[in-house]
Amino acid sequence: MLEYSLLYPENTETRTAQKLDGMWRFAIDWNGEGKEESWQNGIPGRDTIPVPASFQDFYTDKNIREFTGDVWYEKDIFIPLSMKGERVYLRFGAATHRAVVYLNGEKAGEHEGGFLPFLVDITKMVRYGNKNKVVVSVNNELNETNIPCGMTITLSNGRKMSKPYFDFYNYSGLQRSVYLLSVSQIAIEDIDISYSVSDDKALIRYAIRTSGKAETLISLFDEEGEEAASAEGNSGTIELRTPHLWQVHNAYLYNFRVELRSGDNTLDVYELPIGIREVRIEGTKILLNNAPIYFKGFGKHEDSDIVGRGFNIGVMKRDFELMKWIGANSFRTSHYPYDEEIYREADREGFLIIDEVPAVGLFESLSNFLDAGTGKGAKSFFSKTTTPTLLNAHLKALEEMIVRDKNHPSVIAWSLLNEPESTDDNSLPYFEKLFSRARDLDPQQRPRTFAMEVSSSPERCKCYHLSDFIALNRYYGWYILGGYEIGEAEKKFREEMERWKALSLNKPFIFSEYGADTLSSEHKLPSVMWTQEYQIEVFEMLHRVFDSYDFVRGEQAWAFADFQTTEGLMRVNGNKKGIFTRQRQPKDIAFVLKKRWENLPLDYKGNL
Ligand code: BDP
């Protein structure tokens, strides 16, 4: 069952976590014959490629960049004799979108879904004290039975091509770190923690899952390394007087140490950084530690030059510095769960995360962003024969996301879909299953939502009542009535808001996307669309509307930075709605947002 443990890989006195990042051998399976030709025993050619990274942007050949099918990776790893008797795993941070893993020519495991980790148990296959050959085939085809949705077509020359129903490039490969893990036979598999906080006290409820019988010892250390509390047993409640709470931009992390023992022997030790905080919704307020908060921030992407969607620790650092500079306090992991390092950094920096499962493109359209943005009706997506398989994949990804991320203090809400078709009767049963599964899986019972496009209107959407807070993606002034008609856009936007208001939902609303494509090279006075001046006008208009409604409790601009998309008439080498360029330099709008966000208190509208 440990395959199911998605605890972050740590070295402790009983565990080894060895990163296998670096150059791996690499081959493209142009004719889909790798398996037949036994590439699992060793891949052909002499090419090598960095891991983690997307494979697409290194090469100068467009056929490689656009390649759709299987790519193969290979690495020889030495597994020491000292690991014999342990349980040994390979852990992939992500393999986009599906992978088959071989060890020494034998199939060791497989995984579907490209943005969450998985473990492959190799204990019985390893040649201990020897080199072992790891080969992985990674497939990046899109379909309607897994998330994110899209299709794969075949061109007349026989080559396949990806057609995403979403607005980001179909980057793929081994985009996150790979680890060799070893743990003892009786090990800690999972940790659930939840909190209740009041002024001078916190209750920390915990439950530990183990792979065998052992005594469980818990110690809680503060940031000075002093033991603040201790407990025994696989589950229980720790009461902590005058706790240091985890707050926005003022994060305090305790170290929750779990030790499994049998008599005098230590069987396993795992240390989890935790932040004591409570998230709750009360009427139209979102409360953190019983105080109202207002979201300021972004929808983001994992996207940068050269490595594509590959995790880049330098880009991560820069992004957090920019978010702090601009006065942001939050982001949504649009449109997939990000690398685990990003959550750990958010835990340390005190950022709030709306964690999104990779459910994007559940709205059949090759220019989803345009059809969705303008409210052009979509066909019923959920009545298809493919839907049950899609739902299973979606539930599995949701489960993996919650299991992986549930202990991050930064994660304060789950987003279960982005811009799905939600106006057809068939959507409701599909959504209900997601919402109830999220509730069942999360020990902290965090708020759940989904990001709604404009045709999910108060009149037509069948599912918004399921959301604990309403998240709207709105493009008034861009897809709807842009340019000189911006005044009409404001009017139409206010009309929509009045219709929401009339429902008296008594729930918080946030804007999970709003923005305008803007080329960092373009200026014009008076403005025209695509210039930096126009981006500012759109934001000022939208902010005026947000400020007019008390139940609007947050704004997350689209997007943090320009990012790569599929090429097409609507995209100039990518989506240019960034507040920053893809190279992480500010557009003029960044200074406008900085001024606004630095002046909006965390509890903005909190007394309303
Ligand atoms: C929304 C999507 C987002 C797009 C954005 C846009 O959620 O992925 O990139 O609009 O059009 O439809 O810029």
Side-chain angles (χ1 to χ4, degrees):
M1 256 316 265
L2 197 74
E3 292 94 278
Y4 198 58
S5 173
L6 297 183
L7 293 174
Y8 180 83
E10 291 280 14
N11 285 298
T12 70
E13 45 267 66
T14 57
R15 298 179 163 232
T16 15
Q18 184 192 336
K19 244 186 201 176
L20 302 178
D21 294 357
M23 296 306 276
W24 286 51
R25 294 185 61 198
F26 181 71
I28 293 192
D29 194 349
W30 291 107
N31 305 312
E33 59 201 12
K35 186 74 208 301
E36 258 160 60
E37 295 189 349
S38 302
W39 289 14
Q40 62 273 25
N41 294 320
I43 67 175
R46 293 177 44 82
D47 194 12
T48 54
I49 202 169
V51 171
S54 307
F55 72 81
Q56 279 88 353
D57 284 352
F58 297 119
Y59 297 93
T60 53
D61 177 354
K62 191 159 177 173
N63 289 322
I64 300 185
R65 191 184 70 205
E66 300 298 320
F67 178 77
T68 302
D70 293 340
V71 294
W72 292 67
Y73 293 77
E74 176 186 326
K75 197 170 187 73
D76 289 333
I77 56 170
F78 185 83
I79 303 187
L81 259 183
S82 57
M83 284 191 183
K84 204 167 180 174
E86 304 275 286
R87 302 207 63 119
V88 184
Y89 299 90
L90 292 170
R91 185 191 200 266
F92 295 82
T96 316
H97 296 284
R98 56 193 63 78
V100 184
V101 180
Y102 303 90
L103 188 81
N104 302 324
E106 297 299 318
K107 184 170 160 185
E110 61 191 325
H111 184 261
E112 176 89 19
F115 299 94
L116 286 154
F118 59 96
L119 270 79
V120 175
D121 186 348
I122 54 170
T123 312
K124 297 207 174 97
M125 306 170 75
V126 168
R127 291 203 286 257
Y128 293 94
N130 258 302
K131 275 196 179 160
N132 289 260
K133 188 174 290 302
V134 179
V135 172
V136 191
S137 75
V138 183
N139 176 278
N140 66 354
E141 290 173 38
L142 297 171
N143 56 42
E144 289 186 1
T145 52
N146 201 348
I147 48 176
C149 294
M151 59 182 187
T152 302
I153 61 163
T154 306
L155 303 173
S156 56
N157 62 10
R159 290 201 201 290
K160 289 182 192 164
M161 184 182 174
S162 310
K163 293 279 186 181
Y165 298 166
F166 49 85
D167 187 33
F168 50 90
Y169 196 71
N170 188 33
Y171 281 122
S172 37
L174 295 180
Q175 305 186 121
R176 296 182 189 156
S177 290
V178 183
Y179 283 89
L180 173 69
L181 294 182
S182 78
V183 299
S184 34
Q185 293 292 342
I186 296 185
I188 299 152
E189 289 187 334
D190 200 8
I191 304 174
D192 278 359
I193 305 192
S194 63
Y195 313 95
S196 306
V197 305
S198 58
D199 284 348
D200 59 348
K201 182 171 98 174
L203 294 181
I204 307 171
R205 288 175 292 275
Y206 72 90
I208 315 292
R209 203 184 68 210
T210 61
S211 59
K213 245 176 108 46
E215 298 144 41
T216 306
L217 303 180
I218 309 289
S219 309
L220 189 69
F221 294 99
D222 66 16
E223 286 191 353
E224 269 67 60
E226 300 291 326
E227 192 176 71
S230 63
E232 281 179 33
N234 272 345
S235 62
T237 302
I238 298 173
E239 189 181 310
L240 199 63
R241 295 262 153 207
T242 56
H244 296 280
L245 297 183
W246 186 94
Q247 303 280 21
V248 175
H249 290 155
N250 185 14
Y252 192 97
L253 296 177
Y254 288 90
N255 182 8
F256 186 89
R257 183 177 194 273
V258 185
E259 181 175 349
L260 298 188
R261 296 185 69 91
S262 167
D264 286 344
N265 295 333
T266 297
L267 303 175
D268 194 17
V269 173
Y270 190 82
E271 296 189 350
L272 181 74
I274 62 163
I276 300 175
R277 57 100 190 90
E278 200 183 355
V279 188
R280 220 155 33 85
I281 285 185
E282 200 178 84
T284 65
K285 290 181 191 163
I286 303 170
L287 304 176
L288 183 79
N289 300 330
N290 303 315
I293 51 167
Y294 188 87
F295 288 103
K296 300 174 271 186
F298 302 97
K300 288 185 95 258
H301 267 295
E302 288 183 288
D303 174 278
S304 63
D305 285 333
I306 317 286
V307 294
R309 187 146 295 116
F311 176 66
N312 180 318
I313 201 161
V315 171
M316 175 185 86
K317 174 70 180 164
R318 174 71 177 173
D319 286 5
F320 274 93
E321 289 305 316
L322 290 176
M323 288 195 288
K324 287 191 278 180
W325 171 82
I326 206 170
N329 60 21
S330 63
F331 58 95
R332 176 171 61 121
T333 68
S334 41
H335 293 306
Y336 37 82
Y338 293 174
D339 191 285
E340 290 151 294
E341 295 298 337
I342 295 172
Y343 300 76
R344 290 163 66 84
E345 189 68 0
D347 291 346
R348 290 186 288 263
E349 292 283 2
F351 272 84
L352 306 168
I353 294 179
I354 301 175
D355 204 3
E356 186 159 276
V357 76
V360 54
L362 286 74
F363 185 111
E364 184 179 336
S365 164
L366 292 182
S367 50
N368 170 295
F369 54 88
L370 185 59
D371 290 352
T374 52
K376 195 165 135 191
K379 289 176 243 158
S380 165
F381 195 81
F382 297 102
S383 60
K384 299 185 173 188
T385 47
T386 47
T387 310
T389 328
L390 177 69
L391 177 63
N392 282 338
H394 196 157
L395 290 169
K396 180 171 161 271
L398 182 64
E399 182 162 346
E400 290 171 354
M401 175 176 83
I402 295 179
V403 169
R404 189 193 72 164
D405 295 340
K406 62 189 169 188
N407 289 318
H408 290 288
S410 54
V411 173
I412 48 97
W414 309 112
S415 167
L416 309 189
L417 311 104
N418 180 68
E419 298 197 338
E421 207 293 306
S422 72
T423 63
D424 181 84
D425 285 329
N426 294 305
S427 47
L428 183 58
Y430 187 100
F431 281 53
E432 280 172 341
K433 291 191 185 77
L434 295 172
F435 275 78
S436 78
R437 181 67 63 89
R439 187 43 45 101
D440 292 348
L441 288 167
D442 180 11
Q444 297 184 6
Q445 309 278 289
R446 289 169 181 85
R448 304 146 301 169
T449 192
F450 69 103
M452 295 159 68
E453 50 87 22
V454 77
S455 54
S456 297
S457 61
E459 295 75 26
R460 294 181 56 214
C461 179
K462 300 279 195 307
C463 304
Y464 65 76
H465 62 280
L466 296 169
S467 288
D468 298 310
F469 64 96
I470 306 280
L472 301 179
N473 294 357
R474 288 298 181 270
Y475 288 95
Y476 289 102
W478 186 251
Y479 296 121
I480 301 175
L481 298 164
Y484 191 46
E485 290 174 284
I486 192 170
E488 304 298 304
E490 177 166 354
K491 211 160 151 264
K492 206 158 179 203
F493 187 17
R494 287 185 186 276
E495 279 163 21
E496 186 192 343
M497 291 307 287
E498 288 301 319
R499 293 184 350 251
W500 284 114
K501 189 176 168 185
L503 295 176
S504 306
L505 294 181
N506 197 29
K507 289 183 188 213
F509 279 56
I510 69 152
F511 285 89
S512 37
E513 285 186 27
Y514 63 102
D517 277 283
T518 304
L519 295 173
S520 57
S521 57
E522 297 306 303
H523 281 285
K524 201 170 187 91
L525 191 65
S527 73
V528 291
M529 291 171 82
W530 293 91
T531 62
Q532 300 213 41
E533 288 70 19
Y534 186 70
Q535 190 178 28
I536 292 176
E537 285 165 33
V538 170
F539 274 71
E540 284 175 342
M541 180 276 278
L542 297 169
H543 290 155
R544 251 193 325 270
V545 181
F546 301 169
D547 290 341
S548 321
Y549 293 91
D550 302 343
F551 57 86
V552 173
R553 300 289 175 169
E555 51 197 61
Q556 294 189 325
W558 190 253
F560 172 75
D562 292 346
F563 58 93
Q564 194 63 56
T565 64
T566 307
E567 59 192 325
L569 293 175
M570 294 292 296
R571 293 289 177 255
V572 189
N573 185 19
N575 186 309
K576 301 294 182 201
K577 294 193 185 69
I579 304 307
F580 298 96
T581 62
R582 198 183 196 209
Q583 292 69 40
R584 273 55 178 185
Q585 296 303 333
K587 296 183 191 169
D588 289 356
I589 183 65
F591 298 92
V592 175
L593 275 175
K594 178 173 167 62
K595 194 161 168 217
R596 173 175 167 84
W597 287 349
E598 282 180 343
N599 284 305
L600 288 187
L602 178 62
D603 65 351
Y604 179 47
K605 298 181 189 167
N607 53 357
L608 300 170

